[in-house]
Amino acid sequence: TIGNNHDGRKVSEYTSAPSMDLLLSATKQVLPDHASSIQEPTNTAPAAPPSSPPKKKAPPMSQDQVAYLRNWIIEHASNPYPTPEEKDVMIEFLGIERKRLDSWLVRN
């Protein structure tokens, strides 16, 4: 519905959206007790979070490492999920981290 604004003007008399300054000044007039708690808008961008150094990407696995893992999967096709002990042996033999082995097993 079209009604009167607090200054007596009809809402339909506004030709565009009111500016932020107009809204803030109107708010300060209507709520003088709370005017001190209203913060003026700032044009500063939020501070960027501190950046951490870029992660070093591990070199790709060698053909021998990949061949070993593929052969293990083929030999264990009925149950291609190594036990923690089997993973320990693989990690030691291949010289890779557990996280990398787990990632490879998930992707392949």
Side-chain angles (χ1 to χ4, degrees):
T1 63
I2 297 178
N4 290 334
N5 202 348
H6 70 277
D7 61 359
R9 294 177 19 184
K10 289 185 179 177
V11 174
S12 63
E13 291 179 23
Y14 290 109
T15 57
S16 64
S19 70
M20 183 58 79
D21 292 335
L22 177 64
L23 291 173
L24 286 172
S25 66
T27 304
K28 288 178 183 178
Q29 290 172 4
V30 173
L31 304 170
D33 294 339
H34 303 290
S36 62
S37 65
I38 297 174
Q39 296 180 355
E40 296 291 330
T42 60
N43 292 333
T44 59
S51 61
S52 58
K55 293 182 180 179
K56 293 182 181 179
K57 193 172 183 177
M61 281 199 240
S62 71
Q63 290 179 353
D64 291 338
Q65 290 172 320
V66 173
Y68 174 87
L69 291 171
R70 284 185 179 156
N71 285 335
W72 191 94
I73 295 289
I74 291 168
E75 291 174 4
H76 296 84
S78 62
N79 184 21
Y81 305 100
T83 64
E85 293 79 18
E86 290 173 318
K87 286 182 181 181
D88 290 339
V89 171
M90 291 177 181
I91 290 166
E92 186 69 31
F93 182 77
L94 296 172
I96 61 175
E97 294 182 6
R98 180 178 223 93
K99 183 176 179 180
R100 189 160 189 198
L101 175 63
D102 290 339
S103 296
W104 190 92
L105 291 168
V106 167
R107 289 191 317 266
N108 294 289

